[in-house]
Amino acid sequence: METLTLEQKTIESKWWRIALSLSVLTIVYNIVEGLVSVYFGSEGEALTLFGFGIDSFIETISATGIYIMIRRIRLHGSDQRSSFEKSALKITGWGFYALTITLLIGAALSFINQHNPVTTLPGIIISAISIISMWALIYIKKKTGKILQSDAIIADANCNLVCLYMSVILLFSSLLYTSTGIGWFDGLGAIGLAWFSFSEGKEAFEKAKGKECSCHS
């Protein structure tokens, strides 16, 4: 077994602190993003933005489980998920499935009633901020995972790509509605979010069973 020097241990400890800080930042960011998105989604009657906000709250549960995971790996080096982590993943999975159904029903009603959002401008602003923030988080998490030689942290970074894709969907659906005034672009955006929400729910249940994250880098 390789023995680390004092300098190596100091550097490793520093990067584990960074990994934990990134987890806390992810939790706080998701809460703030969720509150802002749900508020403006409700005010502007924008289904895609509202669903995006609910997704952020569900991501908070997942991010909390990841924080516990990083602490466990740092302190004990164990690859076995704790009961708390498994419960968090299952709750996350059911949350995403519920969101999927809600978004599909909302989109269907939107098409039937020919509903138009009051405005999608907040969706453009929030999604643009989210894209930049997610890109930065993914980059730093991958760098941290490589330095610590942690497949778990790298897998977490890869799975954050789904959040980035959802932000892109929100941006394009909001831009298309703002530029054309065609209401069904909001409904199509909700369907796009539903697809990724279902994928994230399935991923959460697979990870709860001990399978590796299948998100692509």
Side-chain angles (χ1 to χ4, degrees):
M1 183 176 179
E2 183 181 355
T3 302
L4 298 178
T5 65
L6 179 60
E7 182 180 359
Q8 288 173 323
K9 287 181 179 179
T10 301
I11 294 174
E12 185 179 78
S13 179
K14 168 194 169 184
W15 281 100
W16 276 117
R17 287 197 300 272
I18 290 174
L20 283 170
S21 298
L22 288 172
S23 295
V24 173
L25 177 61
T26 303
I27 293 170
V28 173
Y29 179 83
N30 278 322
I31 292 174
V32 174
E33 182 180 74
L35 289 170
V36 174
S37 298
V38 166
Y39 173 77
F40 282 106
S42 299
E43 288 291 308
E45 299 181 16
L47 178 60
T48 307
L49 179 56
F50 182 83
F52 185 77
I54 299 299
D55 171 81
S56 297
F57 289 135
I58 300 172
E59 290 285 357
T60 301
I61 302 172
S62 177
T64 302
I66 291 168
Y67 170 80
I68 299 298
M69 176 196 73
I70 292 175
R71 283 198 63 189
R72 169 177 51 76
I73 294 174
R74 180 189 180 189
L75 296 174
H76 307 294
S78 172
D79 290 330
Q80 298 298 317
R81 288 186 170 87
S82 67
S83 58
F84 176 86
E85 291 171 71
K86 291 179 181 178
S87 296
L89 285 167
K90 290 177 181 178
I91 293 171
T92 299
W94 285 119
F96 278 128
Y97 283 160
L99 176 60
T100 300
I101 295 171
T102 302
L103 285 171
L104 290 176
I105 293 174
L109 291 174
S110 177
F111 291 138
I112 293 171
N113 298 326
Q114 297 183 342
H115 172 75
N116 289 347
V118 175
T119 177
T120 55
L121 180 59
I124 296 173
I125 297 171
I126 292 170
S127 59
I129 294 173
S130 182
I131 289 171
I132 296 171
S133 301
M134 281 298 110
W135 180 85
L137 271 175
I138 291 167
Y139 174 80
I140 299 172
K141 283 183 178 181
K142 280 190 175 183
K143 180 178 179 179
T144 303
K146 288 176 181 178
I147 290 174
L148 293 173
Q149 297 181 351
S150 171
D151 291 336
I153 295 175
I154 294 174
D156 174 41
N158 289 336
C159 287
N160 282 159
L161 282 170
V162 177
C163 303
L164 181 60
Y165 298 152
M166 294 177 87
S167 300
V168 171
I169 287 177
L170 174 60
L171 176 62
F172 275 98
S173 65
S174 299
L175 280 172
L176 286 170
Y177 175 74
T178 298
S179 59
T180 65
I182 300 175
W184 52 264
F185 278 125
D186 186 46
L188 287 177
I191 292 174
L193 289 187
W195 167 259
F196 282 111
S197 181
F198 177 80
S199 300
E200 287 204 272
K202 181 181 177 183
E203 188 72 44
F205 279 112
E206 288 180 348
K207 286 193 285 186
K209 293 177 181 178
K211 296 181 181 179
E212 292 296 327
C213 177
S214 62
C215 307
H216 299 290
S217 58

